[in-house]
Amino acid sequence: MPTSEIHDRPYVQSRIREEIARAKRHDRTFGLAVFEVLPSSDGIPIRKKMAIGIAILCQSVRSCDTVGKMFDDTLVALLVETDARGMRDAMLRVRSRIAQYGGAWQVTIYHYPEHAESIETLPLLSAA
């Protein structure tokens, strides 16, 4: 996915809802990673951190996955048909790369169905 194809919040919200429905219907799994920029003393402006995060995420996911900007300081990666171990391993590598070039980030990893209730009630899925 080229960096220019970063998705906006409404699109990502609809993709997450679609993936929840698909996972329920076909007994499938997926992973969701939420990347939030942390204020820090590294001197890197948030806009620059976000650009770095977008580039790294877009280079790191498959074409069937979705990367989106949810807020000015929050990115999301939706990894379809990914088991919990694969999700954790992939996101640890991505987090390491982002931290190396883009400063401090908080990464929260969810896996469906284990975190179904948490995913369905995430604030980023509520209307803006």
Side-chain angles (χ1 to χ4, degrees):
M1 169 189 291
T3 359
S4 61
E5 291 187 2
I6 186 75
H7 297 289
D8 63 7
R9 184 175 177 198
Y11 178 82
V12 176
Q13 287 173 325
S14 70
R15 279 292 299 121
I16 294 170
R17 289 186 184 106
E18 287 172 10
E19 206 53 43
I20 290 169
R22 184 184 341 270
K24 287 179 180 178
R25 189 171 51 248
H26 299 291
D27 195 28
R28 301 281 170 100
T29 64
F30 68 88
L32 184 68
V34 180
F35 293 81
E36 298 175 85
V37 173
L38 294 176
S40 63
S41 60
D42 56 21
I44 304 171
I46 288 179
R47 185 173 296 145
K48 173 101 171 149
K49 287 183 179 188
M50 288 293 286
I52 292 167
I54 288 168
I56 290 171
L57 275 174
C58 289
Q59 293 167 2
S60 302
V61 301
R62 303 166 296 184
S63 60
C64 60
D65 298 328
T66 301
V67 174
K69 181 178 175 184
M70 300 305 282
F71 303 107
D72 288 339
D73 63 350
T74 306
L75 300 173
V76 170
L78 171 66
L79 280 65
V80 299
E81 295 190 25
T82 304
D83 64 22
R85 183 175 178 181
M87 178 68 184
R88 185 179 54 253
D89 292 346
M91 288 304 109
L92 287 174
R93 285 191 305 273
V94 170
R95 180 176 64 183
S96 175
R97 285 185 62 207
I98 287 176
Q100 181 180 2
Y101 299 104
W105 291 72
Q106 176 178 319
V107 181
T108 308
I109 299 172
Y110 301 95
H111 187 260
Y112 191 93
E114 291 87 358
H115 302 119
E117 187 175 330
S118 298
I119 293 170
E120 292 174 359
T121 59
L122 281 172
L124 57 89
L125 285 178
S126 61

